[in-house]
Each structure stands twice: as C-alpha cells, then as structure tokens.
Amino acid sequence: MSELGSKEGQGQDEKTPFFDSSKISDKKATEHFANVEGAAERAKQAERARIAAEKEAREVHAADIRAASEQMKKAQKAEKTSNKASGVFAGNHKWLFIIILLVAILATVGIVYYFASTSKTKEEQVEEKVESFKENCNSEIRENEYCFDALDDFEAYISNEKNLDAKVILLKNYEEYVMSEFGDAGRVKDFLDENISGDYTERNKEDLCGIYKDLYYESDNWEEYVKDCEL
C-alpha cells in the first residue's frame, strides 16, 4: 500500500506542475513598478501641459494688454486732435463774432448818419456846404494867400448838384465869396456860364440874372449884363 501510494503520489507530481508562490510576488512587483513609471510620465506630461497652458494664457493676456494700451493711445491722440481743432474753431469763432459786431456797428452808424442827413432840408445842407467851403478856404488862404484846393472842390460840388434850386443858391454864394475875397470876375464869369444850362424854372432864371447882375456890378462890366442874362 505504501509503495502504491508512493507511486501514485509520484505519478501525480509528474502530471501536475509545481506551484511556486514567489512568482506571484515577482509578477505583482513588476506590474507595480510599471504602473509607477507610467504614472510619473503621465504626471510629467500633465505638468508640461499645465505650464504650456499658463504660458499661452500669459501671452494672450499680455497681447490683450498691449491691444488695450494701443487703443487707449489712439483715443487720447484723437481727443487731443479734437480739442486742438475745437480750440482753433473757438478762436476763429471769437474773431468772427467781433468782425460781425464791428460790421453791425458801422452799418448802424451809417444808417443813422444817412437818415440824419436826409432828414435835413436841402437848404440846410447847402448852408452847411457853404460854411464848410468858407472855413476850408480861409484856412488855406492863411497858408497860400489863395484857396486853390478848397475852391476847386466847391466848384466840383456845385457842378454835380442835381437839384437846380440848390444849385442856384450855391452859385450865388460862390459869386459873392470869390468876388469879395479875390475879385476874380473872369473865373466867376466862366464858371457861371458853364452852369446856366439846364431845365431851370422862371424863378431860377431870375435868380441867375441877379447873380450876373451882382457880378457885373462888382466888375463894372454892364455891357455884358443884358446879353448874358437872356437865359
């Protein structure tokens, strides 16, 4: 029995592999080290990914800051340009207002002067002109002993006068002043002859004849009176 049992035991040993528990331990150790090394690599990759993401985020943030800074500079530059243009416009606007104000004042003065002058009667205007001529002539006589310029101006004024009633009055004052101051009958006679043409009324003609009469009386030339008074 013992031999049989021994043989049977030997036969079973030959058919069934021998189980070694140390090999299990080796296999687990190998898998453990493999897993540890893989986890470390994965951790490194994750760290590199995190660093890259942070770098990209910093770069994006820096780009945003630069873009905002440039936008702010452009806005400040545009504001300065606008303020400068506004300042120039404000300065021009001020001078334009002053010019308009001066023009308005001058226009007002001109209108007032116009209505003041036209409100005067023609006789008053003639009287003022005669007095002005006498003052200018007397001032010139003190310097030159004869009023060349003032007399020329007065003759031009009389020749351009369109109102015949006023013109006769001016001619009368002209004859009286020139004859009393200078006795220049020839000049007075020539000037009267130049200004007797026109659509004079009968009253005007009578007054002109009276002027000629005064001239001939002062110059003692009565022979010419009747002929020249036939106007």
Side-chain angles (χ1 to χ4, degrees):
M1 275 302 283
S2 57
E3 291 178 359
L4 178 61
S6 176
K7 289 180 181 180
E8 289 178 353
Q10 291 178 357
Q12 290 176 352
D13 291 337
E14 290 176 359
K15 293 179 181 179
T16 303
F18 179 75
F19 175 75
D20 191 351
S21 62
S22 62
K23 291 182 180 181
I24 296 174
S25 178
D26 292 340
K27 182 178 180 181
K28 289 183 178 181
T30 301
E31 291 176 352
H32 175 72
F33 287 121
N35 291 335
V36 170
E37 290 178 356
E41 183 63 28
R42 287 192 298 273
K44 290 180 181 180
Q45 290 178 356
E47 181 67 14
R48 286 195 293 267
R50 184 186 64 78
I51 294 173
E54 290 180 354
K55 180 180 180 181
E56 183 178 358
R58 287 194 298 271
E59 291 177 352
V60 171
H61 182 64
D64 291 340
I65 293 176
R66 287 194 298 270
S69 177
E70 291 295 326
Q71 189 67 24
M72 184 178 295
K73 289 180 180 178
K74 290 180 180 179
Q76 291 175 347
K77 185 177 180 180
E79 183 179 0
K80 289 180 180 179
T81 303
S82 177
N83 292 337
K84 185 177 180 181
S86 298
V88 172
F89 176 75
N92 291 338
H93 185 270
K94 180 179 72 175
W95 284 111
L96 180 61
F97 174 77
I98 293 174
I99 292 172
I100 293 174
L101 181 62
L102 290 176
V103 170
I105 292 173
L106 292 175
T108 302
V109 172
I111 293 172
V112 171
Y113 176 79
Y114 171 77
F115 282 105
S117 61
T118 54
S119 63
K120 297 178 181 177
T121 64
K122 194 63 181 179
E123 289 77 9
E124 289 175 336
Q125 295 179 29
V126 168
E127 289 177 4
E128 288 183 358
K129 184 61 181 179
V130 171
E131 291 303 317
S132 176
F133 158 68
K134 290 180 179 180
E135 291 178 3
N136 293 336
C137 194
N138 291 334
S139 176
E140 194 173 349
I141 288 173
R142 287 192 293 269
E143 296 180 3
N144 304 319
E145 299 182 355
Y146 195 92
C147 59
F148 299 99
D149 295 335
L151 197 55
D152 288 341
D153 292 342
F154 192 46
E155 288 177 345
Y157 181 85
I158 296 172
S159 297
N160 293 325
E161 178 59 61
K162 303 302 181 183
N163 186 308
L164 296 181
D165 292 334
K167 192 167 189 174
V168 172
I169 298 173
L170 290 168
L171 287 170
K172 181 175 178 59
N173 282 275
Y174 169 81
E175 183 273 331
E176 290 175 352
Y177 186 83
V178 175
M179 290 304 296
S180 65
E181 293 293 330
F182 311 111
D184 194 346
R187 178 166 184 162
V188 175
K189 172 72 165 55
D190 291 340
F191 187 68
L192 288 174
D193 291 345
E194 292 174 1
N195 288 276
I196 60 174
S197 62
D199 191 17
Y200 288 104
T201 65
E202 292 300 321
R203 176 62 183 274
N204 294 151
K205 292 178 181 180
E206 290 178 5
D207 291 339
L208 287 171
C209 283
I211 297 171
Y212 273 105
K213 180 180 178 180
D214 293 340
L215 172 63
Y216 295 138
Y217 178 81
E218 294 292 335
S219 62
D220 195 22
N221 187 8
W222 286 96
E223 291 80 4
E224 298 291 328
Y225 169 68
V226 177
K227 181 181 69 176
D228 286 333
C229 202
E230 294 177 356
L231 303 175

